[in-house]
Amino acid sequence: MRGMLQFTMDLFEGLGSTPAPAAAPPRRPRKKAPAPPAPVPVVADAPSSIGPVDPRPAVPLADTLTLANFTHPQATREVVLGSARVAYEFKRGQRKTIGFLVGAEGLSVRAPRWVTLRDVDAAVREKADWILRKLAETQQRNARVEATRIAWEDGAEFPFLGELVVIRLDPKHGFASVGGTLDPAVEGGGPRTLRLAVAQNAAPSQIRDAAQAWLMRQARKLFIERLDHFAPLLGVSWQKLSLSNAATRWGSASADGSIRLNWRLIHFRLPVIDYVVAHELAHLRVMDHSHRFWETVESVVPDYGVLRQQLKDEAVPRWG
């Protein structure tokens, strides 16, 4: 059964979701006294909600022109927190606490079946500072990612091992067997040129696929080198490397020695890649994120905290 155990490393670490510490729902009182009028911010039921309709507007009309908006595509409830309108996805389930999750799409709230909507609204207001901070961070991260969207044409640019490279379509070059080649570094620190054996009139998808194939070859070669470097230092043995194309995960490690690494890591500087490699190999010794696990990572990557933050903060080029 050892081969069935697996530990994953999310793209939190870049593109993943941020859960909040679960909020315990209030204990059901035996007899509920009438509640006083709810203070601002006012919670407005979505059309699908059940309950009496408050004829008063949730927010003065003039204020709606200045409110920031965070809307989940599957939103069923809405609340105004400070200067922001938050429309969130709400679901009930078999759980004991009220849970909050901020992801790329927005805020999701989960609650036990017996908790009242009034109590859910109160819990959302209680977490307002955390919710607004995480929504703003996610919005900023998405904006950075969108700004890195690559236009697949001659002259397109993207980072390779932390340094900018520029694509040149060069169908007459003699490297058809490998699809492309990276020119030597230029004096003065300008971007290096990646020459691809693609026709000048190639479709964007053809250019993208050729660039991705070249990057994946470089990624596999480098990842194997770094796995072989760190495994002896950690006293572990890895058995198999698979390249991942996951949208929300940088890597994973299984107890049988199988390692999966996202090929997009090749965009980052080598020290950041080394942190992820060491992170996954450390799981072959400690299959959790306990203090002992982080001590294991630190033994081979002393500045892992700084590198981990860089992995979270730096925008990965958007392939699309």
Side-chain angles (χ1 to χ4, degrees):
M1 293 294 292
R2 286 175 56 83
M4 297 297 292
L5 296 175
Q6 186 181 67
F7 203 94
T8 63
M9 179 181 181
D10 291 340
L11 276 177
F12 26 100
E13 286 184 332
L15 302 174
S17 301
T18 304
R27 301 176 66 180
R28 273 187 290 186
R30 294 182 180 179
K31 186 175 181 181
K32 191 169 184 179
V40 176
V42 178
V43 176
D45 284 344
S48 60
S49 301
I50 298 176
V53 177
D54 188 341
R56 297 170 299 171
V59 186
L61 181 60
D63 291 349
T64 63
L65 302 178
T66 60
L67 286 176
N69 280 283
F70 300 98
T71 303
H72 193 289
Q74 280 79 50
T76 54
R77 291 189 65 75
E78 184 178 281
V79 63
V80 175
L81 304 176
S83 60
R85 182 190 301 277
V86 180
Y88 62 91
E89 178 191 38
F90 175 66
K91 290 185 178 180
R92 297 186 182 274
Q94 297 292 335
R95 54 180 300 131
K96 298 180 179 179
T97 60
I98 301 174
F100 304 84
L101 183 71
V102 174
E105 294 184 320
L107 173 65
S108 296
V109 180
R110 302 290 185 269
R113 299 187 185 281
W114 57 267
V115 174
T116 66
L117 292 178
R118 182 185 296 273
D119 290 335
V120 172
D121 293 340
V124 171
R125 289 195 293 270
E126 183 179 349
K127 289 286 185 181
D129 290 344
W130 181 89
I131 290 170
L132 292 178
R133 184 175 72 254
K134 290 302 179 182
L135 285 172
E137 290 174 357
T138 301
Q139 188 179 68
Q140 293 168 4
R141 184 183 302 118
N142 290 342
R144 292 198 305 269
V145 170
E146 188 62 30
T148 63
R149 183 186 292 274
I150 303 170
W152 294 106
E153 59 190 11
D154 187 74
E157 297 179 338
F158 55 77
F160 171 68
L161 293 177
E163 297 183 0
L164 196 64
V165 301
V166 59
I167 290 177
R168 292 301 176 201
L169 306 184
D170 193 357
K172 296 181 179 179
H173 202 287
F175 44 70
S177 61
V178 295
T181 187
L182 185 64
D183 287 353
V186 298
E187 295 184 6
R192 299 174 69 180
T193 299
L194 173 60
R195 301 187 183 277
L196 296 177
V198 178
Q200 291 290 339
N201 61 351
S205 60
Q206 293 176 293
I207 302 172
R208 179 200 61 207
D209 292 347
Q212 179 175 333
W214 183 85
L215 284 170
M216 292 180 73
R217 283 192 294 271
Q218 307 309 309
R220 176 175 290 278
K221 178 181 177 182
L222 179 64
F223 294 168
I224 290 175
E225 291 176 357
R226 305 320 290 166
L227 286 168
D228 286 343
H229 171 76
F230 283 107
L233 299 178
L234 290 167
V236 298
S237 177
W238 66 278
Q239 301 299 322
K240 177 184 176 182
L241 169 66
S242 299
L243 294 185
S244 165
N245 197 35
T248 61
R249 188 170 296 163
W250 284 125
S252 64
S254 299
D256 63 1
S258 298
I259 302 291
R260 289 178 63 84
L261 296 172
N262 195 313
W263 67 265
R264 289 184 175 87
L265 284 167
I266 201 67
H267 290 303
F268 291 94
R269 297 181 305 112
L270 182 59
V272 176
I273 297 173
D274 279 349
Y275 158 64
V276 178
V277 170
H279 183 119
E280 299 309 333
L281 286 173
H283 278 310
L284 300 185
R285 286 179 56 179
V286 186
M287 291 294 279
D288 57 36
H289 281 137
S290 63
H291 182 68
R292 177 168 163 255
F293 168 80
W294 291 113
E295 285 183 336
T296 303
V297 175
E298 187 178 28
S299 69
V300 291
V301 184
D303 57 344
Y304 77 86
V306 174
L307 299 171
R308 184 186 183 200
Q309 191 62 44
Q310 291 177 6
L311 186 66
K312 294 171 65 175
D313 292 343
E314 294 180 15
V316 181
R318 181 157 183 171
W319 288 61

